[in-house]
Amino acid sequence: MDATSPAQTRAMAAESAVVRRYVHRYGPLAWVHAATPGAPGARTWHYWWHAHLLHVLRDAEEHRPDPRRARLLRALHRGITVRTLGRWTTPFHDDVAWMTLALQRYDVHDRRIDRLTRRLHDAIDPAVGALPWAIDSSLYNAPANGPAAIALAWSAHRGAAVDLDAWVAVTLDDPATGLVRDGVEHGVVRSELWTYNQGVAIGSALALAEGAPDADARDAHEARAAAIVRAVARWCAADDGLFPAAGGGDGGLFAGILARYLAEAAVWFRAHAADDDHLEVAATAAGLVRRNADALSEGRADGLFPADPRRPARATGDDLDLSVQLGAWITLEAAVDLERAVTS
């Protein structure tokens, strides 16, 4: 694919801005700070933001191979090793799942992946049938169980992934909207709707459809992914297809995660176009990604993307957060995936 295509050009600009503004090198080590230098909390180190930085850098390396990026990835790996004292873990199971997915993105055998997937598997509460959000937490939520299901689907614990995906569907799917609610705590469902929860539900369904033991199982997983894509489209229809914004901080990553898995859905349903319904789902998912990528690009100003695609970027507040810029970059790399799928 042409590295100077419109989608590639936008993604390259986002990558360059993130690396220049947020990545700090310390000899052979590197890590990122949470916000633009000088902003409040700029020097905070976030484990799960690093997971998404690794993941999107690997996306970029697949889209635009460059030895300089490969060196940066190695430096970031060393930085994470130092900052986590070699453990590569945190008490938060959602964060561990994100890091596992980032490492799995390399498509290589790594003892860290085995250790992290085993940790996720062993943390499942048999009395609930799901992962708690963190060690000793009473919250069982989509942000932990969705990415964990994807990670476990690509591990020796695929059966657990099937169970986690089913738990989310039974416990958290909202029958009124078809969207995935946030979680359940002490038997009470937390009804908040976040973009990334929809994304990981699509991702886990597709991960399970890939390599399903039979056609019926594959069809069931495909049907779940398709239903959530359509639910997201209905959710966003009143706002011309734009994803709900979640501000800065952790929320800055939410929409980008949805874009990543919508792009996966678009590619999957186009490649497995058994009927017109599959093509309709592919077109719907692709349209959502492109609409949001376009809006983010149109709102860019002074090298920053907006936390909310409905307005231009500004050099204050949430737009200074790494998470916001990283989320936009993830969305733009997702648009590259769509462009590659059309031209391949």
Side-chain angles (χ1 to χ4, degrees):
M1 177 182 167
D2 183 0
T4 61
S5 70
Q8 289 275 34
T9 299
R10 296 192 310 191
M12 280 192 290
E15 176 182 9
S16 176
V18 167
V19 171
R20 185 176 64 253
R21 187 182 291 264
Y22 300 97
V23 175
H24 299 264
R25 301 168 195 265
Y26 307 88
L29 308 178
W31 54 73
V32 290
H33 290 164
T36 296
R43 296 183 67 83
T44 303
W45 191 88
H46 283 289
Y47 175 99
W48 87 283
W49 296 11
H50 275 78
H52 284 285
L53 177 64
L54 290 181
H55 197 145
V56 74
L57 277 167
R58 188 61 186 86
D59 292 340
E61 182 64 12
E62 181 176 303
H63 296 158
R64 303 173 298 281
D66 188 324
R68 292 170 298 179
R69 187 186 300 107
R71 290 193 293 272
L72 175 59
L73 276 162
R74 289 193 293 270
L76 285 165
H77 274 76
R78 287 189 289 266
I80 294 169
T81 300
V82 169
R83 295 301 296 250
T84 63
L85 303 177
R87 298 187 182 95
W88 280 69
T89 59
T90 79
F92 298 94
H93 295 130
D94 55 343
D95 293 3
V96 173
W98 295 122
M99 189 64 78
T100 307
L101 290 173
L103 291 173
Q104 287 177 326
R105 184 69 178 88
Y106 283 81
D107 197 28
V108 295
H109 180 74
D110 189 312
R111 285 178 297 176
R112 285 171 299 186
I113 296 174
D114 294 339
R115 186 168 69 250
L116 293 176
T117 53
R118 187 167 58 251
R119 176 173 178 147
L120 292 171
H121 175 267
D122 293 348
I124 296 171
D125 184 340
V128 177
L131 273 166
W133 172 53
I135 294 172
D136 296 328
S137 174
S138 58
L139 172 63
Y140 296 80
N141 62 1
N145 287 276
I150 302 171
L152 293 175
W154 301 117
S155 76
H157 308 289
R158 185 177 173 88
V162 174
D163 293 341
L164 293 182
D165 182 77
W167 179 87
V168 170
V170 169
T171 310
L172 300 181
D173 282 13
D174 180 3
T177 64
L179 295 168
V180 179
R181 295 168 292 186
D182 189 60
V184 60
E185 188 170 19
H186 300 303
V188 178
V189 174
R190 292 170 46 157
S191 59
E192 299 97 329
L193 299 173
W194 301 108
T195 46
Y196 72 152
N197 292 345
Q198 320 314 314
V200 292
I202 293 167
S204 63
L206 294 176
L208 292 170
E210 180 77 24
D214 53 56
D216 287 345
R218 185 197 64 222
D219 290 349
H221 294 307
E222 281 187 347
R224 174 158 169 74
I228 299 171
V229 169
R230 292 185 175 113
V232 169
R234 293 192 298 270
W235 188 30
C236 300
D239 211 356
D240 195 26
L242 293 177
F243 300 147
D250 286 346
L253 278 163
F254 291 1
I257 293 168
L258 174 57
R260 168 178 287 139
Y261 292 108
L262 281 171
E264 281 195 13
V267 172
W268 171 275
F269 283 101
R270 184 174 182 270
H272 299 79
D275 51 40
D276 288 345
D277 282 348
H278 280 62
L279 292 175
E280 176 265 325
V281 172
T284 298
L288 287 165
V289 174
R290 292 191 180 107
R291 173 71 182 100
N292 283 272
D294 288 346
L296 288 168
S297 295
E298 291 161 6
R300 192 180 187 206
D302 298 322
L304 292 168
F305 292 97
D308 187 336
R310 296 154 190 79
R311 61 163 174 80
R314 50 200 180 211
T316 59
D318 292 342
D319 294 357
L320 297 177
D321 284 357
L322 165 66
S323 58
V324 170
Q325 304 309 310
L326 198 53
W329 178 16
I330 293 168
T331 301
L332 295 177
E333 294 290 358
V336 174
D337 280 327
L338 298 179
E339 193 173 73
R340 282 160 56 93
V342 170
T343 58
S344 62

